[in-house]
Amino acid sequence: HKKDKSNLTSFGFGDNNNFIKAISPPTSPEKAAKKGRGETSPLMYLDEFAFISFIQELYNSASPAFSKASENAEKQGMPFSRVISTTPAYLDHPSGAFCYQIIKGSYKFRLDLLDMDIKVVRDLIAGDYSGSNMMYIEYSYTELGRDEIWFKKQCAGLMHDMTAIKMELLLEWLNASQTGVFSEEQIDN
């Protein structure tokens, strides 16, 4: 469309006034809070959430504007959601701990939800799991169509580093960091 606009951080669609905006990771808690404020989009996608510095400040400051934008979108019959995707991170890092807190407060996805009315699903999510008002979905490599041959090849690519394999392939959240005094095995013991 002739009114489309594009640059490094956003892309606008002139025919329907929609746009996509990318936000760079913040470098301080103050900058994170500032970036979050005023983000009045009813659709948010946060990629590799557990690895974004100062994500709790950004997330919290964006929540009120996201909530209002979502209410408006719902009234107009438009889509609204906040999607977070990430591989597991270290639980002793603030961003990893915050992400894990959200996961633990989320409703765990079940296949039978696909056959339920959306209002019933929303009530389930808001019920006992109102800590984050989100649904948690996790896919193992086998659920994504990968096999043991693929897994072994990935392990070799990770130099058989068990910490990396646990996080990147087995989706395990780890208690120890690379800079910690104790290894993951020592903490487990």
Side-chain angles (χ1 to χ4, degrees):
H1 190 272
K2 65 182 177 183
K3 293 182 183 177
D4 285 355
K5 294 182 181 176
S6 178
N7 63 39
L8 291 175
T9 60
S10 66
F11 185 85
F13 301 93
D15 59 340
N16 61 10
N17 292 321
N18 285 337
F19 68 95
I20 297 169
K21 180 180 177 184
I23 299 174
S24 60
T27 56
S28 71
E30 296 78 20
K31 288 180 181 178
K34 185 176 179 182
K35 284 181 184 232
R37 281 190 185 81
E39 290 303 322
T40 55
S41 174
L43 297 168
M44 296 179 94
Y45 175 57
L46 302 150
D47 190 30
E48 291 298 355
F49 187 88
F51 297 91
I52 300 172
S53 297
F54 312 111
I55 189 60
Q56 186 170 0
E57 292 83 357
L58 191 144
Y59 183 90
N60 289 344
S61 66
S63 286
F66 169 78
S67 178
K68 186 61 180 174
S70 296
E71 286 175 25
N72 292 338
E74 184 175 25
K75 286 178 189 174
Q76 296 174 23
M78 302 299 289
F80 59 96
S81 71
R82 183 166 26 201
V83 176
I84 296 171
S85 64
T86 193
T87 47
Y90 293 109
L91 293 173
D92 63 351
H93 287 157
S95 55
F98 180 63
C99 183
Y100 194 70
Q101 174 188 346
I102 290 173
I103 289 170
K104 288 302 173 194
S106 297
Y107 190 86
K108 186 145 175 71
F109 174 77
R110 308 180 326 244
L111 283 175
D112 66 321
L113 296 172
L114 297 173
D115 296 323
M116 294 182 189
D117 182 84
I118 188 66
K119 291 181 182 181
V120 172
V121 173
R122 285 185 184 157
D123 287 344
L124 285 170
I125 293 169
D128 293 335
Y129 299 92
S130 59
S132 69
N133 200 27
M134 290 188 166
M135 182 180 297
Y136 175 67
I137 304 172
E138 178 178 301
Y139 298 104
S140 69
Y141 66 89
T142 57
E143 291 172 308
L144 296 173
R146 304 296 184 171
D147 58 17
E148 291 307 306
I149 294 169
W150 176 89
F151 178 75
K152 288 177 182 178
K153 183 178 179 182
Q154 298 307 308
C155 289
L158 293 170
M159 308 285 292
H160 300 281
D161 176 338
M162 277 313 295
T163 300
I165 291 167
K166 283 181 175 184
M167 289 176 65
E168 300 297 331
L169 304 177
L170 301 175
L171 305 179
E172 293 181 23
W173 292 78
L174 304 181
N175 293 308
S177 69
Q178 291 172 322
T179 59
V181 177
F182 300 107
S183 69
E184 183 67 20
E185 288 76 23
Q186 290 171 320
I187 290 175
D188 286 345
N189 287 334

